[in-house]
Amino acid sequence: VITKNRFFYDKNININTRLKKMIFKKVKEVITKFFYPDKLNKKKEQEIFDKAFQIRLIKNYISEIIFNNINKYKEYSKVDLIKELAPTISNPYLTQKDIEYAIVEVWTTYRNKIDLIKKKIEFKVQSKVVIKYYKNNSKLHKKGDLRLFEVKKKSTKFTKVISFLSKYGYIGIAKKIANDLKNNKYKDDAKKDIFYKNVSYFLNKYGEDRLLKLAFQKRVNVFYRYNKNQHQFISLSFTTQSRIKHNIVNKNKNRDSKIDSFISVGGYKKDDEKTKGGVSKKYRIDIPTKTDQAYHLNLNDYSQVYTMQFEEDRLKRVNLSIKVDKKIPIANNIIFKKLNRNRNKRVKSNRDKILGVDINIKNNLFVTSDENINIDYDRNLFNDFVKFLKKLDKRDKNEEGKSQKLGKRYKKAYKRWQNRISNMVIESTVELIKQAKERGYNHLVLEDLELISKLRSNNQEFDINNGRLIKLLNLSSIKNRIINIAHRHQINVSFVHPEYTSQTCNSCGCISRKNRKIQESFKCIKCGHLDNADFNSACNIRDRLLLDVLRDKFLNINSFLEYKTKDLRKESIKYILEDYYMVA
């Protein structure tokens, strides 16, 4: 039963009815729909291109201002930045909204950079100096020559506080932390309570202004270290808001016309010798487009904010946003009954509702805790794609030894291949959800894995770097794809920590790298349990949600009764696992 974005279980419904009847929660979701120009004349296209060119000039101008004064603008909000910079920018071809959206886009780019760089900020002090000498004579060195000179560093209570202030500090933080400690905000978490007491102590001892000045300077220095050059906007694509009074998308009233609909956007200007200054008044452009009622939904509900996407000098598509009602299933937590401590006597009815899923690239794409569900990607198709990439890599190089830029023919071929690979991964994901649904599963559990593209190992099957393979398969976005597709099929999705899922024995809980000496098989060094390595990982992923002790320590629950990972260190995760399995 759902009422005003809240849900509750009706006490009159018995347990069996609750299990059979799916309960949903309605939420408003903003989605983007694509509209492709149909028979757009060159004159209108050129006018849109001119606006895109002018907006790009403004964005690069704003980017230069922010980069040169990053210490000033690093804490600005979007509103503050618009208030300060918008009045200084004047362009007869652009509206005020065009300029404001350009400022917001630049601000967002730098804000994302700063948030990423904050994670790299860390203060440490010198611990010791390690000096090693050669013990024997060689062709290049004599006995006693300096071999290694290394300065080792360590963290202290004070450096941890300064690192924290560099990442998250702001003016007034001392008062905020003092109030939180006074109200016993961290009484349930001893580690946090001790840490924030240390922060409060050093802020009072040395003064907030002094410590924040040191912290902010460190933040700026790290920013410049990782951003030696300012961000330059190359793409002509832009986002802005149309100020026309009627709907932005309108059906064509002429039934005899081959054009379905028009996207009407205002705020365009053109050169005109008859007017003062050579620029005419603002006018509207109608972009002919094809629409599909099943895909584009109600044309009256689209927002006036639009994005023009260009491919080279051609208008590729117009992106519009629309609010839709999304029904997200509420997970049925009745299945999470406490399990018997004896791992060999688990209740099967509890585990059959939840499916653990291990994502990997060397064997099957999806290996699950159900031996009957294993989904792979089209390896023949991907092998042909790799051959095409190697062909591009072997192109003639210029005098400087760098590969020449792709021509139009190669660019089009590359984009076609990208679409094929993307569709292939989507099809594999749909097949996973479909099979899970058919076998009665209503909850998927996956690793909360940030698939980093810096893997240096080589994939022997395709003779390609594993990091590049992850990028080509676009697995970094597979998490959101699974969530969206699963919710449409009334299946919930939860995530667990990825640490030690591949090294833990699912039979006795022994954690060791030696358990998995080769990629394909798993053999426990303690109990001798032998299994497929990926299947063992999938079972461990499932058990992190099924086992009540691990679930309570590792995971947080959201409003849909789905679980997300707590912020835990790798060492803490190992300690909790070893403590649980030792008791069990």
Side-chain angles (χ1 to χ4, degrees):
V1 182
I2 303 164
T3 170
K4 292 185 180 180
N5 259 356
R6 290 190 170 187
F7 59 90
F8 58 89
Y9 292 115
D10 189 341
K11 294 180 180 178
N12 296 322
I13 302 176
N14 61 34
I15 292 177
N16 293 328
T17 307
R18 291 183 198 174
L19 288 171
K20 291 178 182 178
K21 188 174 181 180
M22 184 63 66
I23 303 174
F24 296 94
K25 183 179 180 181
K26 281 188 178 181
V27 295
K28 284 286 184 182
E29 183 184 38
V30 178
I31 60 174
T32 300
K33 294 292 184 180
F34 304 142
F35 293 81
Y36 293 89
D38 182 32
K39 299 175 183 178
L40 178 65
N41 65 53
K42 291 184 178 180
K43 184 179 178 182
K44 289 182 179 179
E45 189 173 38
Q46 183 61 41
E47 289 163 3
I48 298 171
F49 177 87
D50 291 341
K51 170 171 262 195
F53 183 81
Q54 295 294 329
I55 289 176
R56 187 174 66 180
L57 289 176
I58 296 295
K59 287 194 288 190
N60 286 327
Y61 167 71
I62 298 165
S63 179
E64 183 179 0
I65 293 174
I66 295 176
F67 183 82
N68 292 329
N69 297 277
I70 191 64
N71 196 29
K72 175 183 176 182
Y73 294 113
K74 66 182 184 300
E75 300 298 334
Y76 269 46
S77 67
K78 288 186 282 188
V79 177
D80 294 336
L81 202 61
I82 289 171
K83 284 181 179 179
E84 181 166 325
L85 296 182
T88 66
I89 301 169
S90 177
N91 190 307
Y93 296 94
L94 303 179
T95 65
Q96 186 65 22
K97 280 294 179 183
D98 296 336
I99 295 171
E100 289 178 6
Y101 273 88
I103 292 172
V104 170
E105 187 173 345
V106 178
W107 178 88
T108 304
T109 302
Y110 276 97
R111 175 58 56 194
N112 292 339
K113 277 188 175 184
I114 291 170
D115 290 342
L116 287 172
I117 289 168
K118 278 182 181 179
K119 297 178 182 179
K120 300 180 182 291
I121 297 174
E122 190 172 14
F123 278 83
K124 286 188 176 182
V125 295
Q126 181 176 315
S127 173
K128 60 181 178 178
V129 178
V130 178
I131 302 175
K132 292 185 178 180
Y133 303 93
Y134 285 95
K135 295 180 179 179
N136 300 309
N137 293 324
S138 65
K139 291 182 180 180
L140 300 176
H141 304 282
K142 293 181 180 180
K143 182 180 178 180
D145 285 351
L146 182 65
R147 181 184 177 187
L148 176 68
F149 182 87
E150 183 182 1
V151 178
K152 291 200 171 183
K153 297 183 178 181
K154 66 177 181 179
S155 296
T156 64
K157 289 181 180 180
F158 181 69
T159 59
K160 288 178 180 178
V161 169
I162 292 294
S163 297
F164 169 77
L165 294 175
S166 297
K167 294 176 183 178
Y168 311 109
Y170 57 89
I171 297 170
I173 191 172
K175 188 176 180 180
K176 173 70 167 57
I177 292 175
N179 288 334
D180 289 343
L181 291 171
K182 187 178 179 180
N183 297 326
N184 296 320
K185 183 178 179 181
Y186 310 108
K187 63 179 181 179
D188 297 330
D189 192 329
K191 287 184 178 180
K192 279 189 177 182
D193 188 58
I194 293 170
F195 175 75
Y196 283 109
K197 282 179 180 177
N198 288 334
V199 176
S200 181
Y201 169 76
F202 286 114
L203 283 170
N204 291 329
K205 183 177 180 180
Y206 297 109
E208 181 183 290
D209 294 341
R210 186 179 176 188
L211 291 189
L212 286 181
K213 184 178 179 181
L214 178 64
F216 290 164
Q217 188 58 49
K218 177 75 171 181
R219 189 184 299 177
V220 173
N221 291 342
V222 173
F223 175 84
Y224 283 125
R225 188 192 310 162
Y226 288 95
N227 294 272
K228 294 181 180 178
N229 300 313
Q230 72 187 68
H231 183 82
Q232 289 291 322
F233 291 86
I234 300 172
S235 172
L236 284 167
S237 301
F238 67 90
T239 300
T240 188
Q241 182 176 342
S242 178
R243 302 303 296 269
I244 54 176
K245 294 181 180 179
H246 57 76
N247 296 331
I248 194 168
V249 188
N250 298 279
K251 273 284 185 183
N252 188 4
K253 295 180 181 180
N254 186 357
R255 295 183 179 180
D256 297 328
S257 175
K258 294 181 179 180
I259 298 171
D260 292 339
S261 308
F262 290 96
I263 297 176
S264 301
V265 288
Y268 284 78
K269 303 176 183 180
K270 63 179 179 179
D271 293 328
D272 192 345
E273 296 178 357
K274 298 179 181 180
T275 59
K276 293 181 180 181
V279 179
S280 69
K281 294 181 180 180
K282 290 181 288 185
Y283 71 101
R284 188 183 79 194
I285 288 181
D286 294 322
I287 303 171
T289 182
K290 287 185 177 180
T291 53
D292 180 87
Q293 189 173 2
Y295 172 77
H296 289 109
L297 308 176
N298 189 350
L299 300 182
N300 298 326
D301 294 339
Y302 280 95
S303 165
Q304 296 293 89
V305 177
Y306 65 91
T307 299
M308 296 287 188
Q309 283 195 320
F310 283 83
E311 190 175 294
E312 296 179 0
D313 59 344
R314 303 288 299 178
L315 179 61
K316 183 181 179 182
R317 68 189 185 197
V318 183
N319 301 345
L320 299 177
S321 59
I322 184 172
K323 282 186 179 181
V324 295
D325 288 328
K326 184 178 180 180
K327 291 170 70 176
I328 299 179
I330 305 299
N332 206 330
N333 280 2
I334 296 170
I335 59 177
F336 295 140
K337 295 177 181 177
K338 290 187 177 181
L339 302 184
N340 193 313
R341 279 289 187 182
N342 188 338
R343 294 171 52 79
N344 297 321
K345 295 183 180 179
R346 290 186 192 147
V347 183
K348 279 194 173 182
S349 60
N350 286 344
R351 68 189 292 187
D352 288 345
K353 291 290 181 181
I354 299 176
L355 183 68
V357 182
D358 180 50
I359 303 174
N360 65 84
I361 55 176
K362 292 187 178 180
N363 299 310
N364 288 333
L365 180 62
F366 300 118
V367 177
T368 73
S369 55
D370 186 329
E371 293 178 290
N372 296 307
I373 304 178
N374 290 303
I375 312 295
D376 199 7
Y377 56 92
D378 190 335
R379 293 178 179 268
N380 292 329
L381 177 65
F382 191 78
N383 189 48
D384 291 340
F385 181 36
V386 171
K387 288 179 181 177
F388 170 75
L389 292 175
K390 289 180 179 179
K391 183 180 177 182
L392 295 184
D393 293 341
K394 291 179 180 178
R395 287 176 301 120
D396 295 333
K397 296 184 178 180
N398 55 24
E399 296 178 356
E400 298 176 355
K402 295 181 180 179
S403 299
Q404 297 179 9
K405 290 184 179 181
L406 292 177
K408 288 185 178 180
R409 183 167 65 89
Y410 280 119
K411 279 185 178 180
K412 288 182 179 179
Y414 182 71
K415 286 187 177 180
R416 283 198 299 269
W417 271 110
Q418 280 187 315
N419 290 333
R420 289 176 193 168
I421 299 300
S422 178
N423 291 335
M424 176 189 70
V425 174
I426 292 172
E427 288 171 4
S428 300
T429 305
V430 171
E431 184 63 24
L432 168 70
I433 304 298
K434 182 180 176 182
Q435 290 195 29
K437 186 76 173 176
E438 288 175 353
R439 297 187 67 82
Y441 293 101
N442 59 7
H443 206 128
L444 299 185
V445 192
L446 300 95
E447 292 175 318
D448 190 8
L449 189 61
E450 297 294 335
L451 291 163
I452 303 171
S453 59
K454 294 181 180 179
L455 295 176
R456 296 179 181 178
S457 58
N458 206 54
N459 188 287
Q460 296 179 356
E461 181 181 355
F462 301 113
D463 189 25
I464 189 173
N465 180 274
N466 277 318
R468 191 179 184 188
L469 193 152
I470 288 171
K471 275 188 175 181
L472 295 173
L473 286 172
N474 198 20
L475 295 186
S476 57
S477 63
I478 202 167
K479 177 178 173 180
N480 292 328
R481 284 178 176 170
I482 291 175
I483 291 173
N484 291 332
I485 296 172
H487 283 172
R488 270 185 251 144
H489 289 79
Q490 293 83 51
I491 294 178
N492 290 97
V493 183
S494 292
F495 293 92
V496 299
H497 297 93
E499 284 81 7
Y500 304 108
T501 55
S502 61
Q503 298 177 22
T504 304
C505 175
N506 189 250
S507 179
C508 70
C510 171
I511 302 173
S512 174
R513 289 184 178 180
K514 295 179 181 179
N515 287 340
R516 193 173 182 178
K517 292 183 178 180
I518 59 175
Q519 180 69 25
E520 288 75 20
S521 64
F522 183 96
K523 185 176 181 180
C524 180
I525 59 173
K526 185 178 180 181
C527 71
H529 173 68
L530 184 64
D531 212 336
N532 175 276
D534 296 325
F535 175 72
N536 180 79
S537 296
C539 292
N540 287 329
I541 292 168
R542 176 203 61 203
D543 288 353
R544 299 241 178 132
L545 189 66
L546 271 175
L547 301 172
D548 56 297
V549 174
L550 296 183
R551 183 176 68 251
D552 293 342
K553 292 189 176 182
F554 283 148
L555 307 175
N556 288 321
I557 193 168
N558 65 14
S559 59
F560 310 117
L561 305 188
E562 296 174 329
Y563 287 86
K564 309 294 180 184
T565 55
K566 291 181 180 179
D567 186 13
L568 297 173
R569 290 186 178 183
K570 190 174 181 179
E571 296 81 7
S572 301
I573 293 171
K574 188 174 183 180
Y575 174 79
I576 292 169
L577 288 170
E578 289 177 338
D579 184 58
Y580 170 78
Y581 286 115
M582 183 174 65
V583 175

